[in-house]
Amino acid sequence: GNKTLQAIQRVGQAVNLAVGRFVTVGEAIANENHELKEEMSVACIEARRAGETIAQLTDVASLDHPESDSHITIFTDKTGVVKAARLLLSSVTKVLVLADKIVIKQIITSRNKVLATMEQLEKVSSFQEFVQIFSQFGNEMVEFAHLTGDRQNDLKDEKKKARMAASRAVLEKCTMMLLTASKTCLRHPDCESARINKDGVFHRMRLALEQVIEIVTDSRPNGENEMAPISIYSGIKEFKNKVEGLRENLYFLSKENLSTMLEVILEHTEDFTDSAYTSHEHREHILELSKQAKMELEQLVSVWMQAQNQKTKDLMEDLEVAILKTCQCMNELKREVHGAATSLAADLLKYHTDHMVLKALKITGVEGNLEAVAEYTCKLSEQKEQLVEMCRLLRHVSGTEPLEITCIHAEDTFQVTGPQIISAAETLALHPSSKIAKENLEVFCEAWESQLSDMSLLLREINDVFEGRRGEKRVYLSLPRPGKHNANLKALKPVKLDTEEQAKIAKLGLELHLLTSDVDSETEKWEDQENEIVQHGQGMSSMAYSMYLFTRGEGLLKTTQDLFHQAEVIFATEGTKLASALHALSEQVHHDEKPLLLLEAEKLISMCKQLQIAAKASAQGKSATFTKVDACILKTRNVMTLLCQLLPLCCKLLRKVSACLICTI
């Protein structure tokens, strides 16, 4: 009756308003981009017109006088509404496609600016000129970082997201390297190792810029399909899926197909069995399981071929047994290579945490002791080979594509940074009193150390995925690292927590950790994992988890600055989004329950505001900074405590809502 009509009218008006807002943004974009302005304007006009048509056709006022023919309504003209809706969709799509083109164009333009300035920087011969151009370069890099960061957040494909994060991390670190490497070259113009060191940085930056453009434009140069070779983990997953598919359909693939898949997997296990770093036990077990896998597959194929000819009950039972045994053997193989890769990684990371070789290079470099430097650079080369091999093996067992990409990125980083440290150390040894050569070596050593500490986190992520904990939902893996992109790179020395401060904050950190586990177990109870409330809840839990890791001096948030940025911008924003999802839910629930939800949403908003205020507060000096860290963690804990109460409440209310819907249908 009347209520339905009013609801229809409200929807019509809401659509029209929303289109209006959307189009305003589209027109603003058009004004800044002349070559696409006309197309954009046309699409915007179309969208506006469609929105207005829908509002007119759903206008209830005209229903009071059905006898007057002057007004066509939704009831007399259903096709009109369908047409208008189609027009609206196509015009909105056009606007989005054009806006996307413009964003891509902005990124490409920004990249071209960066490249042009880089070329100038490479040719510069005086300090003064270098400083001028570098400050311009810094600003251009900041702009590029913003544009690509927004793009990274918009990407839906997790693989692309991870590749973008990796490329942006390279550019971020290289900006500092470019500064010190170029200065060293200017100070020691005839030094061969200084030139090699600088060229390496420029080359790596160009590759990273290229990769960003590839991801953004979805293109591969000269049509090559450069996909990393398949990993053992994903090979096993696909093989098992095919084997288990035989239950439903005996004819959907050939036995040759299965044998080839197994061969490819077993070829990859040679990366482990041929490696000097695999223990004797692991090697033996992998070889045994490979043999067993071939036998299980032979048995499976023989029963399966028989079953294709005659499906007796006995044969189907034999087939089921063969499927289970084959899959079980593959699971054991997977566990075995996982154990081999992760135990090697754990050993290497433990062994190399003291950074003995790097320390020795710095000392012998300053002493100008060329022989000792040569000896330690050999050691570093060995270490590099070990770490590269570790990354290759970890990639095989990393479990998700984003983690695979992170392993490949780590492998590249060690491959490139090793020789760069060596050339920087040689330069220092040749010019032992050069302050800039010393600083340059330190910058490259720092990059190596930070990659090593990222490896410990990556190893934990890989183990978590393997054991089915938190796996796919780590939001913060590919977050752009905050606070590094200022043109004035010398400004803030990053501050880490020292052991004493970690001890003081340990209890709070632990509480935060327990709360993240509670929130995770609450979100797992939701049937609809796509629900906005769950997704924001999981996001907040992941971020709180990374804050907990920070209190232990681990994880991706390295400095107090990183922590404050995470608290102020990312965590609080996610909280605000969750509050608006609660408002939306309050519109659907029974009117008795509405006030409670709105109250909780208000609480959440005010808590997020308090957190933002705490994170923004200025803090000078060590104890003030620690007090600020303490406040941020405390306020994050309060938000998480509220979240633990909110999630079950919303889950219950949503069940009620869907139960009512089912009743009314």
Side-chain angles (χ1 to χ4, degrees):
N2 208 11
K3 266 196 166 166
T4 313
L5 295 180
Q6 280 167 346
I8 290 172
Q9 181 170 14
R10 276 206 304 275
V11 170
Q13 286 165 345
V15 168
N16 193 19
L17 279 172
V19 171
R21 285 198 293 268
F22 176 79
V23 167
T24 311
V25 177
E27 287 166 343
I29 294 174
N31 287 332
E32 291 168 19
N33 290 272
H34 297 295
E35 59 265 42
L36 293 173
K37 186 173 180 176
E38 207 169 310
E39 260 186 281
M40 186 64 124
S41 304
V42 172
C44 286
I45 290 166
E46 255 180 40
R48 255 192 221 286
R49 197 175 299 149
E52 283 159 11
T53 308
I54 288 176
Q56 278 166 8
L57 289 176
T58 54
D59 181 7
V60 181
S62 60
L63 293 175
D64 299 342
H65 322 287
E67 62 284 352
S68 76
D69 288 340
S70 61
H71 240 102
I72 299 172
T73 70
I74 186 167
F75 292 101
T76 54
D77 187 13
K78 287 211 168 105
T79 53
V81 173
V82 172
K83 262 190 196 156
R86 279 198 186 133
L87 179 66
L88 179 62
L89 274 180
S90 74
S91 54
V92 164
T93 307
K94 268 182 216 159
V95 173
L96 288 171
V97 168
L98 288 168
D100 196 53
K101 272 188 188 165
I102 288 167
V103 171
I104 292 172
K105 211 188 82 203
Q106 282 176 327
I107 291 177
I108 291 172
T109 310
S110 174
R111 188 268 322 237
N112 294 341
K113 272 197 225 162
V114 167
L115 271 181
T117 312
M118 263 171 73
E119 272 176 25
Q120 286 179 284
L121 281 175
E122 243 178 327
K123 295 187 187 119
V124 160
S125 55
S126 80
F127 260 101
Q128 198 181 354
E129 202 186 346
F130 175 78
V131 171
Q132 273 173 347
I133 299 174
F134 188 82
S135 81
Q136 177 194 334
F137 176 71
N139 293 331
E140 287 167 358
M141 282 302 288
V142 171
E143 185 199 1
F144 188 71
H146 281 308
L147 289 172
T148 51
D150 292 343
R151 187 67 179 183
Q152 179 180 315
N153 293 332
D154 292 339
L155 288 170
K156 293 286 173 280
D157 177 345
E158 288 300 322
K159 245 166 47 178
K160 280 189 187 164
K161 226 180 185 139
R163 285 179 60 209
M164 182 71 114
S167 305
R168 291 179 68 239
V170 169
L171 290 169
E172 199 177 292
K173 293 211 165 79
C174 280
T175 305
M176 190 62 185
M177 294 171 175
L178 184 133
L179 176 64
T180 57
S182 301
K183 277 184 176 174
T184 308
C185 243
L186 286 168
R187 177 65 43 83
H188 309 289
D190 304 326
C191 182
E192 177 71 1
S193 53
R195 191 187 54 72
I196 291 173
N197 181 264
K198 183 185 96 168
D199 290 349
V201 180
F202 277 92
H203 178 64
R204 191 157 191 227
M205 281 193 93
R206 290 203 168 94
L207 286 180
L209 286 166
E210 205 42 58
Q211 178 160 30
V212 169
I213 299 302
E214 265 175 36
I215 298 164
V216 167
T217 56
D218 226 349
S219 67
R220 289 229 157 279
N222 47 37
E224 64 190 74
N225 184 11
E226 160 294 303
M227 193 38 227
I230 177 172
S231 71
I232 294 177
Y233 199 104
S234 48
I236 288 180
K237 193 171 172 182
E238 203 186 328
F239 177 77
K240 275 170 52 189
N241 282 342
K242 292 274 193 282
V243 168
E244 287 171 340
L246 293 174
R247 292 178 178 136
E248 272 75 61
N249 182 346
L250 292 173
Y251 309 96
F252 82 113
L253 85 164
S254 67
K255 57 182 182 183
E256 290 75 27
N257 201 323
L258 265 190
S259 313
T260 313
M261 282 175 83
L262 183 62
E263 265 164 39
V264 171
I265 294 169
L266 297 183
E267 249 169 55
H268 283 313
T269 60
E270 288 169 14
D271 288 354
F272 284 83
T273 51
D274 295 349
S275 166
Y277 305 117
T278 304
S279 73
H280 179 67
E281 284 80 41
H282 279 306
R283 184 176 292 110
E284 291 296 301
H285 286 163
I286 292 171
L287 290 170
E288 273 166 36
L289 287 166
S290 302
K291 218 192 249 161
Q292 192 190 329
K294 284 182 194 157
M295 277 163 39
E296 300 293 5
L297 182 61
E298 260 173 50
Q299 176 59 25
L300 173 71
V301 168
S302 116
V303 182
W304 165 31
M305 291 302 130
Q306 286 174 308
Q308 280 189 350
N309 298 329
Q310 52 179 87
K311 281 190 183 159
T312 63
K313 187 161 176 275
D314 285 354
L315 274 175
M316 293 318 282
E317 277 173 11
D318 290 351
L319 180 66
E320 180 58 28
V321 170
I323 289 174
L324 290 173
K325 285 177 83 171
T326 306
C327 289
Q328 191 184 353
C329 180
M330 295 319 282
N331 285 342
E332 281 172 27
L333 181 63
K334 187 170 110 174
R335 178 168 290 122
E336 201 56 47
V337 289
H338 181 271
T342 51
S343 63
L344 166 69
D347 289 349
L348 280 180
L349 291 174
K350 207 192 243 148
Y351 184 69
H352 291 313
T353 41
D354 58 2
H355 303 302
M356 266 296 300
V357 177
L358 300 184
K359 285 174 187 155
L361 277 173
K362 288 177 195 171
I363 293 165
T364 51
V366 171
E367 289 168 353
N369 184 343
L370 287 166
E371 258 173 61
V373 166
E375 188 187 319
Y376 286 115
T377 55
C378 281
K379 285 201 171 135
L380 187 71
S381 294
E382 274 169 40
Q383 195 172 326
K384 183 202 76 175
E385 289 308 320
Q386 291 176 341
L387 293 169
V388 162
E389 178 101 344
M390 167 187 89
C391 294
R392 281 188 193 143
L393 298 184
L394 279 179
R395 205 201 89 239
H396 272 308
V397 301
S398 53
T400 70
E401 284 180 321
L403 286 177
E404 266 190 56
I405 288 160
T406 311
C407 289
I408 294 167
H409 164 66
E411 183 186 329
D412 288 345
T413 303
F414 288 124
Q415 270 299 17
V416 177
T417 315
Q420 286 180 319
I421 291 175
I422 291 172
S423 53
E426 282 168 2
T427 307
L428 178 58
L430 292 168
H431 308 279
S433 58
S434 167
K435 243 178 155 161
I436 179 63
K438 181 172 184 253
E439 187 188 349
N440 188 44
L441 175 59
E442 265 168 13
V443 167
F444 286 99
C445 288
E446 228 166 72
W448 180 275
E449 286 169 25
S450 102
Q451 187 55 56
L452 256 186
S453 74
D454 283 353
M455 288 314 290
S456 321
L457 179 75
L458 180 60
L459 181 58
R460 186 173 311 119
E461 302 258 355
I462 288 172
N463 280 324
D464 281 357
V465 171
F466 187 76
E467 287 156 24
R469 286 198 306 260
R470 314 186 63 99
E472 300 282 353
K473 297 185 190 123
R474 283 288 172 84
V475 184
Y476 64 87
L477 216 186
S478 54
L479 282 178
R481 290 280 297 284
K484 290 282 182 67
H485 278 303
N486 47 353
N488 179 9
L489 288 158
K490 282 282 181 110
L492 285 169
K493 266 285 182 228
V495 190
K496 301 186 180 187
L497 291 187
D498 59 31
T499 341
E500 196 180 314
E501 291 173 328
Q502 276 177 27
K504 277 188 202 160
I505 212 164
K507 181 172 171 291
L508 251 189
L510 198 60
E511 287 171 19
L512 201 53
H513 184 203
L514 294 172
L515 285 165
T516 59
S517 304
D518 291 346
V519 167
D520 288 348
S521 61
E522 281 305 332
T523 56
E524 276 158 23
K525 292 177 190 165
W526 288 55
E527 278 123 38
D528 173 15
Q529 285 291 318
E530 297 300 304
N531 185 296
E532 252 191 296
I533 295 175
V534 166
Q535 297 212 321
H536 293 314
Q538 286 166 343
M540 289 166 81
S541 172
S542 262
M543 290 168 209
Y545 186 75
S546 67
M547 291 182 185
Y548 147 70
L549 287 178
F550 173 84
T551 62
R552 301 177 39 165
E554 296 168 10
L556 280 178
L557 304 175
K558 298 281 185 264
T559 66
T560 50
Q561 209 44 48
D562 292 351
L563 176 83
F564 300 147
H565 178 276
Q566 172 108 316
E568 179 197 340
V569 181
I570 304 160
F571 186 80
T573 312
E574 200 76 9
T576 318
K577 284 183 189 161
L578 176 61
S580 69
L582 295 179
H583 274 281
L585 176 60
S586 75
E587 294 299 321
Q588 301 175 297
V589 300
H590 196 269
H591 59 84
D592 300 349
E593 286 148 344
K594 189 171 176 167
L596 175 64
L597 255 188
L598 291 175
L599 188 70
E600 296 294 317
E602 283 317 301
K603 261 195 231 167
L604 182 62
I605 289 174
S606 93
M607 282 182 175
C608 288
K609 282 221 177 85
Q610 288 173 346
L611 176 61
Q612 276 175 315
I613 292 165
K616 272 186 186 152
S618 71
Q620 294 299 319
K622 191 167 152 57
S623 72
T625 306
F626 178 71
T627 310
K628 182 172 163 181
V629 169
D630 193 51
C632 284
I633 304 273
L634 188 65
K635 300 221 182 312
T636 304
R637 185 199 67 182
N638 296 346
V639 175
M640 293 295 287
T641 310
L642 179 65
L643 197 53
C644 282
Q645 298 153 4
L646 263 177
L647 285 166
L649 171 71
C650 295
C651 191
K652 196 174 79 187
L653 292 177
L654 263 173
R655 281 207 187 115
K656 269 195 192 173
V657 170
S658 46
C660 292
L661 277 177
I662 292 163
C663 297
T664 52
I665 295 164

